[in-house]
Amino acid sequence: MRQDIGERPYTVDDLEDMPDDGRRYELIDGMLLVSPAPALRHQKIVAKLIVMLDALCPEGMHVLPAPFAVRHSRTTEVQPDLLVAREEDFTDKLLPVAPLLVVEVLSPSSVMTDTNLKKSLYERMGVPSYWVVDPRQPMLDVFELNAEGRYELVSVVKGDQAFEAVRPFPVRVVPVELLGTLK
């Protein structure tokens, strides 16, 4: 691991030296973010969303869970909990352009990062749709880019309410159903 911490921003080259310890290592504008392994409710929601979205995903698009790198620049590489992107936008190792949809599932350690830092990054990258799922409620906040390229909160759905997504393709999401049999 790099010894000159603080002398320069981290880069994607530094990520290759990070330990394989079950944590997620991401960069935003040269700042290193380290997240612990996700908990049960988090993983259950990611799994349910993958199955749901993948079943309806049109040809030419792919639904992927973390870890899969979205590299915005040499100093910014994140691994969204879930992403949807066009097939032609992927390389074998990463996604070098904005996904069509990013979903982050909140963990106690990620609330501020997901709702502020990452939200700002995804807006700057031009990710058309950004969903934030709170597994404690359960609740889904949906942000979409407006004509000025700024995120607008277009829907907040809780419990057994339904969100009828249009972007990146039609899908119906009911937050409480994302937990399956978990209480």
Side-chain angles (χ1 to χ4, degrees):
M1 191 179 320
R2 180 178 122 175
Q3 299 300 313
D4 60 342
I5 294 173
E7 294 180 21
R8 66 173 173 80
Y10 281 92
T11 69
V12 294
D13 297 326
D14 297 315
L15 288 179
E16 303 208 3
D17 294 332
M18 295 300 159
D20 186 10
D21 59 3
R23 293 187 165 116
R24 187 182 306 179
Y25 292 86
E26 301 173 287
L27 291 177
I28 296 182
D29 298 327
M31 180 176 62
L32 182 65
L33 304 173
V34 182
S35 304
L40 175 63
R41 291 170 76 87
H42 179 284
Q43 291 299 81
K44 185 67 169 187
I45 287 170
V46 170
K48 286 280 194 178
L49 279 169
I50 288 168
V51 170
M52 177 189 311
L53 292 170
D54 196 56
L56 297 169
C57 188
E59 190 172 323
M61 289 184 198
H62 295 288
V63 178
L64 293 177
F68 195 84
V70 176
R71 185 174 295 166
H72 182 62
S73 69
R74 301 260 320 129
T75 58
T76 300
E77 181 176 298
V78 291
Q79 296 180 18
D81 289 325
L82 186 145
L83 66 85
V84 175
R86 288 181 289 272
E87 185 169 4
E88 66 264 17
D89 291 339
F90 288 98
T91 71
D92 283 341
K93 295 182 84 174
L94 58 90
L95 183 62
V97 300
L100 301 172
L101 169 67
V102 164
V103 180
E104 294 287 3
V105 179
L106 300 178
S107 295
S109 63
S110 75
V111 172
M112 294 303 291
T113 300
D114 291 344
T115 59
N116 293 296
L117 196 58
K118 282 189 170 182
K119 180 180 166 217
S120 177
L121 170 65
Y122 296 142
E123 180 181 76
R124 194 174 47 174
M125 287 176 65
V127 175
S129 294
Y130 178 45
W131 299 359
V132 178
V133 181
D134 186 339
R136 295 167 301 168
Q137 307 297 326
M139 185 168 90
L140 169 66
D141 290 345
V142 177
F143 298 90
E144 293 189 352
L145 288 178
N146 62 22
E148 291 79 42
R150 305 288 299 179
Y151 275 140
E152 196 172 287
L153 182 62
V154 296
S155 189
V156 175
V157 290
K158 299 176 182 179
D160 61 0
Q161 297 173 332
F163 170 61
E164 302 286 343
V166 176
R167 289 177 163 179
F169 49 83
V171 62
R172 183 176 191 268
V173 181
V174 178
V176 73
E177 292 175 2
L178 298 177
L179 288 171
T181 59
L182 293 178
K183 298 291 178 214

